Amino acid sequence: MKPALTQRQIVPPESWEQLPMGDWLAAEIQERLDLWCPHLFGYHLLKLGALSSHLSCSGSAIRHQVSLGLAGAGLGVLADVADLPIRDTAIDACLLAQTLDYTNDPHQVLREVERVLTADGWLILSGFNPHSLVGLGRLLPFMRRQHPWHARMFSPERIRDWLELLGFELVHYEAFGFSSLSSGSKIHWWRENLGRDYCGYFASVYMLAARKRTIPLTPEPERRWARKPLIVPGMARI
């Protein structure tokens, strides 16, 4: 398993148009995002990365929505996603669309997200699946310099493990896109339907929704009735 931390230069795309079939991919993520936005409540919603900034969360009741990243159009705050200039427990929901695929330290990004999220705050995340046709394209040296094969691509199982260690509860998971996402490939409805039913593990893109759970560290006081013995001498009749 490749290490999560890397020192290599990673250039993230600044718009969906820079990705092959980027318009289709953005539309698919937006369709699923529209289903989850009505569940997001609170005061502040944070979009991390340039790709996230181009997605709409207008269906959510959260009115204050800010996009944060280092480069790209539509960003409200210019900052590193691994070092958020936001105080603790101030954000009610975070959106990371393909953000972890283009970061040097995804562990640190998720730690920052966990830090700024409120208790029971929402995290919606999407990424490329390395166990797919897109992942196979990374085996070709001449394709590694292009998007999306330039991305790091962490498996959804690995992302789940990281979220569980940070105290997140996985609420929803979905996989889609059963093609190589190359400029010449076509997405057919029958391929998508068959893929969801029988080959979900090999989908090119996954999307999940998780919720931050906070367990209180102060134990409840011991109740007096719990200290009483369950069997009192003299109860049994011989």
Side-chain angles (χ1 to χ4, degrees), residues 200-223:
Y201 181 80
F202 301 103
S204 298
V205 185
Y206 60 88
M207 188 170 181
L208 59 85
R211 205 164 189 184
K212 177 182 174 181
R213 298 302 188 187
T214 304
I215 301 176
L217 299 180
T218 304
E220 294 186 0
E222 187 180 4
R223 302 181 185 274

Side-chain angles (χ1 to χ4, degrees), residues 19-33:
L19 297 175
M21 301 182 62
D23 294 337
W24 175 87
L25 181 57
E28 289 293 314
I29 296 178
Q30 184 65 62
E31 180 180 352
R32 290 157 177 81
L33 187 60

Side-chain angles (χ1 to χ4, degrees), residues 150-222:
H150 180 63
R152 304 193 62 193
M153 299 187 187
F154 300 101
S155 66
E157 293 80 15
R158 199 172 181 186
I159 298 296
R160 290 178 186 178
D161 291 340
W162 294 346
L163 293 178
E164 288 180 0
L165 290 175
L166 291 173
F168 282 89
E169 177 189 0
L170 184 65
V171 179
H172 179 75
Y173 172 82
E174 186 175 356
F176 59 95
F178 297 88
S179 75
S180 62
L181 296 185
S182 60
S183 58
S185 64
K186 300 294 184 180
I187 298 293
H188 300 285
W189 63 268
W190 59 266
R191 181 191 297 175
E192 287 293 304
N193 292 337
L194 290 176
R196 291 192 188 99
D197 294 338
Y198 304 104
C199 304
Y201 181 80
F202 301 103
S204 298
V205 185
Y206 60 88
M207 188 170 181
L208 59 85
R211 205 164 189 184
K212 177 182 174 181
R213 298 302 188 187
T214 304
I215 301 176
L217 299 180
T218 304
E220 294 186 0
E222 187 180 4

Side-chain angles (χ1 to χ4, degrees), residues 77-95:
V77 179
L78 296 179
D80 189 357
V81 295
D83 187 15
L84 300 178
I86 301 172
R87 63 181 177 86
D88 297 355
T89 64
I91 303 298
D92 298 282
C94 279
L95 172 63

Side-chain angles (χ1 to χ4, degrees), residues 84-174:
L84 300 178
I86 301 172
R87 63 181 177 86
D88 297 355
T89 64
I91 303 298
D92 298 282
C94 279
L95 172 63
L96 285 77
Q98 267 51 37
T99 305
L100 296 183
D101 293 323
Y102 294 97
T103 56
N104 293 88
D105 192 354
H107 285 173
Q108 179 60 24
V109 174
L110 290 179
R111 281 193 291 265
E112 282 292 278
V113 170
E114 190 275 337
R115 179 183 65 82
V116 302
L117 275 180
T118 61
D120 295 329
W122 285 95
L123 167 63
I124 298 181
L125 182 151
S126 66
F128 295 112
N129 182 14
H131 309 303
S132 64
L133 292 176
V134 174
L136 291 177
R138 298 177 70 248
L139 300 177
L140 303 176
F142 68 92
M143 297 185 68
R144 293 179 184 175
R145 303 183 184 92
Q146 308 174 21
H147 295 301
W149 303 278
H150 180 63
R152 304 193 62 193
M153 299 187 187
F154 300 101
S155 66
E157 293 80 15
R158 199 172 181 186
I159 298 296
R160 290 178 186 178
D161 291 340
W162 294 346
L163 293 178
E164 288 180 0
L165 290 175
L166 291 173
F168 282 89
E169 177 189 0
L170 184 65
V171 179
H172 179 75
Y173 172 82
E174 186 175 356

Side-chain angles (χ1 to χ4, degrees), residues 5-27:
L5 179 63
T6 183
Q7 300 299 329
R8 73 180 177 93
Q9 186 69 22
I10 301 177
V11 180
E14 297 183 5
S15 66
W16 292 100
E17 286 74 15
Q18 295 182 11
L19 297 175
M21 301 182 62
D23 294 337
W24 175 87
L25 181 57

